[in-house]
Amino acid sequence: MNQVKEENYNVIRRSKPRIDGVEKVSGRALYAADLYMEGMLYAGVLRSPYSSARVTRINTDKAKAIEGVEAVVTFADLRKTKSWAGYMYLTDRIRYAGDCVAMVAAKSKSLVEDALEAIEVEYEELPGVYTIDDALEEGAPLVHEEYEKNIFKDSLFHIRKGDIEKGFEQADVILEREYRTQYIEHSYIEPEAVLAYMDPNSGLMTVQASAQNPFFTRRYVSDILGIPLNKVRMIQAILGGTFGGKEEGIGLVTARAAYLAYQTKRPVKFVFSREDSFLESSKRHPFRLRYKIGATKEGRIVAFEGEQVDNCGAYNNQTQFMNWRANVHSSGPYEIENIKTDTYGVFTNNIHSGAMRGYSSPSLIFGQEQLIEELAEELGMDEVELRRINCLKDGSVTATGIPVEYVILQDVMDDTVERTDYIRKHAEYKQQPDTRFRKGIGLAICYRGCGLGAESPDASGCMMIVNEDGSVSIASGLAENGQGLKTAYAQIAAEALGVHYEDIQFPQLDSFAIADSGMTVASRGTVMGAQSVRKAGEKLKKVMIKNALELRSFSLEGTDLTYEQLTEEDIDLKDAVFFLKDHPEITVPFTSVTGACIWTGKQMAAYEWFMPEDLPQDHETGQGKAFPTFAYGCVIAEVEVDMRTGYVDLKKVTASHDVGRAINPALIKGQIYGGIVMGQGYGIMEDVAPKNGRVKNRNFDSYILPTSMDAPEMDVQIFESGDPAGTYGAKSIGEPATEAVAAAIANAVYNATGRRIRENPCDLETVLLGKKLR
């Protein structure tokens, strides 16, 4: 771990074991699909096989007549068919092959299947649009009548910096390129699952679900039932993976289960099959990236123009938020004086796209980092040197017009280049003989705004409670989704309060236990979300020090000290021991004070809310401070390409990341290892590839993704920058871990084959033919 100034920390910057690790690896952890209640029913939905259609007739009589079928509900039975977020709970106007027209609840899973098969539906098939190009054609069928030309206006963002025409006039070389990326599936092990029931004592609709953002999911239940939020109790079940896929779609699953539970007065369990998950969970947005770049013969980039269009699918799943982020990062980690970019989404009759790890960056970087190398080749310049000249440095002005500091991007890149012997290998592989197996090495650099930034308020709350035995409980409005948030928060809480990490307990999120702190997304959990944890710990530490003083907990016998002389400033708390700063030998155990506090009515809890600085931006130009800080990274991929089959074997990935401050180095490396393999799938093999809106590969027998047998050798380097913006200086890492991998692979394939991959992934068709066969 590359270090900056050494700090006197007791708990953070140490690889503490995961707070929830034993339960998961031992199999004791209960996921939503494991939950059971006496008398519960099972749920299922009937999906349309058509991508654009209208239901002309639906008959449920046969389904309702089946013994053990307790409820059959169609779009005609719902008071409210459209969700608060625009998706359809049930619908008679089909916009993609997967839209739901009915749902059932029955005493067994087999009865659910029987009932769904017994529902008779007749459709009128309608014209549809499936690609970005088709959707934008003049006179194309509209997916939603309110959106002209199928353009999702709320997702339209611009960057206007400098004078783009003047910039291109200064350029000696101008390059124009187009790149395209694909739909991919999140591929989490656990499919969506929920158990909904009416609590007999409180009357609350209580839901336990595999929800990434429980408060967000709670809105769907309130919406479909038409009841206040305080009538819904949402408890997050342990998650078996999400990566963005269980942000919004799980809300539809939860709402349907809650509606059936409300109607039947019985608990209802709804667990997606893998096919259900493939047909309703959102996918990574495919992008069409059109770039124009101009540079002087010395290698200074003087102008950048881009159009970044993504395929929303049939419904909006956070496209406006994702495109805001894509807009901010639209010219990559480079300082360019003149920039003009437009970013927007279009609706099509495909499965909806949504949040996925990286949130636009893997797609953009795939195009940007190849564009940089194509420019270097056009200039006759070394691609590393071109990056050195133009990459962000301290004082550089970003695309949104704001100077940055604590930038270690060039150091990270240079260290990684040297570590991998990149220069020698790249030159050697470029000249290798024309054999069946060819080696290649490729590089990509990246930067990422930390937290939510100006996208939406990055506020959070934390409640911290000390118990009489000295144990500590914390509750946060952000959720553990498998990323290690509980562990990081326990370390931060222990550091701030001055107690042992092992004494912290952090249960699953309960909407009745803590205030809504927004979505657990954008790698914000530690960098910004944990600020409230630190504040609560520091506040409670002061409270407990005051308690120790007021209770006269220290033994001052044999000293010349008196309590009249002591102040709170004279006392500290570390490692669960109070001590006098000037007399560290005078101590008292934390538990002695907590035990006395409970019988004297002393405060032993604190609640804190964190609100970050305001980040105003001009919507028309994109100018303004977009993020409190940025994280930087460099990825180098080494491949071997079979020129007979087109198979790309990823041999090694060296990944170096600026993490600001490493709260838990082992967790960080775990994030990066997982991110590399996820980036490998995106870059080499994964492709949902719907045909006329229909998803053909609906399970892992036909959807190809990396396994442990495919994982490359991985060399991970952690850099710390000393940037104070995040919690204890921490930066984002969950999403940066994966976002540059596919771009590095594409550049490595070019180095091996001399064939540029402008359409992701680097599979048989693109490697050998240079295009997809759709």
Side-chain angles (χ1 to χ4, degrees), residues 429-439 641-644 752-755:
Y429 297 157
K430 201 172 182 179
Q431 302 300 322
Q432 65 189 300
D434 187 13
T435 57
R436 175 178 174 180
F437 296 99
R438 296 173 63 86
K439 293 180 179 180
V641 181
D642 185 335
M643 299 300 291
R644 186 177 298 173
T753 67
R755 300 173 185 177

Side-chain angles (χ1 to χ4, degrees), residues 211-228:
Q212 178 172 341
N213 299 304
F215 289 100
F216 201 77
T217 304
R218 180 179 63 162
R219 293 180 201 162
Y220 287 89
V221 178
S222 170
D223 180 59
I224 197 170
L225 297 179
I227 60 176

Side-chain angles (χ1 to χ4, degrees), residues 71-291:
V72 180
V73 180
T74 75
F75 53 84
D77 303 314
L78 282 181
R79 174 191 63 85
K80 190 175 189 294
T81 55
K82 180 182 283 191
S83 76
W84 69 275
Y87 313 104
M88 305 303 293
Y89 295 122
L90 300 174
T91 185
D92 61 343
R93 174 60 173 93
I94 308 304
R95 291 183 171 85
Y96 84 101
D99 254 336
C100 299
V101 299
M103 58 185 177
V104 303
K107 292 181 178 179
S108 70
K109 296 178 184 178
S110 60
L111 285 172
V112 169
E113 294 173 4
D114 291 344
L116 293 175
E117 289 179 7
I119 298 173
E120 299 171 357
V121 188
E122 294 178 4
Y123 299 90
E124 175 193 355
E125 197 166 2
L126 301 172
V129 290
Y130 304 104
T131 68
I132 291 171
D133 303 312
D134 291 343
L136 292 173
E137 277 188 9
E138 195 67 35
L142 296 180
V143 180
H144 297 278
E145 288 70 19
E146 62 268 35
Y147 291 105
E148 296 180 10
K149 299 182 179 179
N150 289 308
I151 295 174
F152 180 30
K153 296 189 292 281
D154 295 335
S155 72
L156 176 59
F157 295 95
H158 316 281
I159 293 290
R160 299 291 186 268
K161 178 189 177 189
D163 186 332
I164 193 68
E165 292 182 3
K166 181 180 176 182
F168 280 116
E169 288 174 2
Q170 297 171 345
D172 297 310
V173 171
I174 296 174
L175 211 61
E176 293 188 61
R177 292 290 185 268
E178 178 177 302
Y179 306 91
R180 294 188 182 238
T181 63
Q182 79 280 28
Y183 282 106
I184 71 166
E185 166 71 16
H186 294 81
S187 302
Y188 27 72
I189 296 175
E190 175 209 34
E192 292 78 353
V194 58
L195 175 64
Y197 56 94
M198 294 292 292
D199 187 299
N201 296 314
S202 64
L204 300 177
M205 175 55 71
T206 304
V207 179
Q208 297 187 62
S210 58
Q212 178 172 341
N213 299 304
F215 289 100
F216 201 77
T217 304
R218 180 179 63 162
R219 293 180 201 162
Y220 287 89
V221 178
S222 170
D223 180 59
I224 197 170
L225 297 179
I227 60 176
L229 290 169
N230 69 352
K231 294 290 186 181
V232 182
R233 184 183 182 191
M234 184 75 207
I235 303 170
Q236 185 201 31
I238 292 175
L239 253 65
T242 170
F243 312 110
K246 293 172 184 169
E247 282 186 24
E248 298 211 32
I250 189 65
L252 295 173
V253 187
T254 303
R256 292 173 189 142
Y259 186 87
L260 291 168
Y262 185 81
Q263 291 294 310
T264 62
K265 310 304 180 193
R266 303 265 294 274
V268 172
K269 185 175 180 178
F270 194 178
V271 180
F272 268 5
S273 66
R274 185 60 62 183
E275 288 77 9
D276 277 324
S277 188
F278 264 79
L279 286 172
E280 190 162 76
S281 68
S282 62
K283 306 294 178 276
R284 173 167 284 156
H285 286 76
F287 269 87
R288 185 189 74 185
L289 306 166
R290 289 177 173 171
Y291 292 137

